[in-house]
Amino acid sequence: MLHLSSIATQPLGRRSFVAAAGLGIATVAGALAGCGQESKDDGATGSAASAGSADASSKKGVQVRVASLKGPTSIGLVDFINLVQTGDGGFANSYDFQIMTAADEILPQVIKGDIDIALIPANAASVLYNKTEGGIVCFDINTLGVLSVVTGDASVTSFSDLAGRIVYLTGKGTTPEYTMNYLLDAAGIADSVTLEFKSEAAEVVSVLAADASAVGVLPQPFVTAALGKNEALSAPVDLNDVWDEYAEEGSQMVTGVTIARREFAEEHSDVITEFANAQADSVGVVNDNPDMAAPLVVDLGIIDNDAVAAKAIPSCHLVCITGDEMTDALSGYLDVLYNADPSSVGGALPEADFYDSVDA
C-alpha cells in the first residue's frame, strides 16, 4: 500500500496524476470569491487537473464525480487522491477527481448534475444553495481562514497596529474586503485604516518588496512564497486569531467547504460518509507530513514548488469539521458576509437543511 510515508522512496510522476484540459465555462455569479480565484498566480491558470482511478474497468460501487478548487481547498485531499489513483484505499466506491481553477467552473456543472461532490468557497456554497433552491447540502468545512498580515515593518506585531496605516490586499467587493471590514470594525480601528485594493496578490507582494513599511494582507500560499523570496518580510498576524478574538462564540473564519447535490446525498448517504471519513484521514496525513505531501501537491498542479507547498501547509488551516461544530462555525461566518453584502451569499442565508450531519 502506497501512502505518503513511502513517497520518498517510491516517487510518483506527474503523468500518473495529472491530465490537463481547458475549461471554457461561463461565469455564474460575480460574487463567487475565495482563495481559489486568487490561486491563479501559482502557475497553472486556465487549466483543470484531473486525477481518478488508474483503471476505469476496475471501478466499483457508486461512480462519484468530485471537483475541488485549486489552492488550499484541495490540498487536504491529496492523500485521498493518491489512494484512489493507486487503488490502495480499499474504498467501496469509485472516485473521479477534477481540480479546477475557479468556482465558476465548478458551479454550473453541479447545477447540471455533472458533479456530485465539490469543494468550493464557503460563500459560493451559499450562492449555489440559493440558486438551486436548496438543491445542495454542505457536509464539512475543509479549510479555515488563509489570510495573514504581511509586512517588513517590525513594529507591526498585532492587528491593532494597523491603525493609521494603508493596508494593501486583493478582493475588492468580495470576501477578503468584507472580512477585513468586519475585523477592523470589531477592533475599533476601522476609521483609521485605509484599504487599498490590487487586482492580484503578486501586486501586493511587489508593494511590500518596494516599501519596507508597507502592510498587506495575503492568502496562502502567497504568504509563504513572499516570505521565502524576501527575508525582510514577516507574517505577524493570522486573521483566524483575530476572528476568534472578536467574532461570536462558535463562529470561525472559513475558506472552503464540501458540498454535495442533495439528490445524490439522499440517495447515497453511505458515499457521503465514506468520502468524509477518507477526507478527514487525508487531512490528518497531510497536516502531519507536509514535507511528504508537498510532492503530491505539486504533481496535482495545486502549487508549483515543493518547498513552498511544504512550508505553506501548516498555515493553510486544513480541517474536516462536521456536525454541530460545522454548523456553528459556518453559519456565523456566512452571517458576517450577509450583513456586509447579501449578494455575497446569494441574497439570503441558507436554511437549516443546508447543513448536513455526517460522522467523520
Side-chain angles (χ1 to χ4, degrees), residues 5-301:
S5 59
S6 63
I7 287 174
T9 56
Q10 300 183 45
L12 300 178
R14 180 180 298 273
R15 289 184 181 178
S16 68
F17 274 91
V18 181
L23 294 173
I25 301 173
T27 298
V28 171
L32 305 181
C35 181
Q37 283 91 331
E38 295 179 348
S39 298
K40 63 184 180 180
D41 292 324
D42 65 8
T45 302
S47 69
S50 298
S53 300
D55 183 357
S57 66
S58 67
K59 289 184 177 181
K60 58 185 178 179
V62 178
Q63 309 300 303
V64 188
R65 300 160 298 176
V66 183
S68 63
L69 194 59
K70 184 181 171 184
T73 307
S74 291
I75 291 175
L77 280 181
V78 298
D79 188 54
F80 185 5
I81 294 174
N82 180 31
L83 293 176
V84 169
Q85 181 69 25
T86 60
D88 290 335
F91 302 118
N93 303 288
S94 299
Y95 298 92
D96 293 315
F97 293 89
Q98 285 186 300
I99 298 175
M100 301 184 181
T101 57
D104 57 12
E105 293 177 339
I106 298 176
L107 269 61
Q109 295 195 49
V110 176
I111 292 171
K112 290 190 298 182
D114 293 337
I115 290 173
D116 304 310
I117 293 174
L119 286 76
I120 56 178
N123 70 305
S126 180
V127 171
L128 186 58
Y129 173 86
N130 284 302
K131 189 174 184 66
T132 60
E133 298 182 345
I136 67 161
V137 295
C138 177
F139 60 89
D140 71 52
I141 294 170
N142 56 61
T143 318
L144 295 177
V146 294
L147 297 173
S148 293
V149 173
V150 179
T151 183
D153 189 341
S155 69
V156 177
T157 61
S158 67
F159 192 71
S160 62
D161 291 330
L162 301 186
R165 294 176 178 268
I166 297 173
V167 176
Y168 300 89
L169 69 164
T170 60
K172 176 68 174 176
T174 63
T175 53
E177 179 181 14
Y178 306 144
T179 297
M180 277 297 292
N181 284 337
Y182 170 73
L183 294 177
L184 290 170
D185 184 65
I189 57 174
D191 292 341
S192 65
V193 176
T194 300
L195 299 182
E196 184 166 323
F197 292 91
K198 301 295 183 180
S199 60
E200 296 182 354
E203 295 181 50
V204 177
V205 175
S206 294
V207 172
L208 298 176
D211 181 359
S213 66
V215 177
V217 169
L218 289 168
Q220 289 292 354
F222 296 107
V223 175
T224 298
L227 269 56
K229 292 178 180 179
N230 188 342
E231 294 182 356
L233 295 177
S234 66
V237 182
D238 184 328
L239 293 194
N240 284 286
D241 296 332
V242 183
W243 187 282
D244 291 345
E245 180 179 355
Y246 293 112
E248 293 184 7
E249 184 176 358
S251 170
Q252 296 188 63
M253 187 176 172
V254 180
T255 294
V257 299
T258 308
I259 62 96
R261 292 187 295 108
R262 182 178 300 278
E263 181 180 12
F264 181 87
E266 291 177 350
E267 185 176 353
H268 303 294
S269 60
D270 57 326
V271 174
I272 301 301
T273 299
E274 180 179 73
F275 186 95
N277 285 326
Q279 183 181 11
D281 290 344
S282 183
V283 166
V285 170
V286 173
N287 282 333
D288 290 343
N289 303 276
D291 289 333
M292 288 181 285
L296 289 179
V297 173
V298 173
D299 280 339
L300 288 168

Side-chain angles (χ1 to χ4, degrees), residues 138-142 144 252 258 272-273 275-280 319-330 355-360:
C138 177
F139 60 89
D140 71 52
I141 294 170
N142 56 61
L144 295 177
Q252 296 188 63
T258 308
I272 301 301
T273 299
F275 186 95
N277 285 326
Q279 183 181 11
V319 296
C320 187
I321 299 174
T322 60
D324 291 341
E325 184 181 358
M326 173 196 72
T327 300
D328 291 343
L330 181 56
Y355 303 95
D356 188 33
S357 295
V358 62
D359 296 324

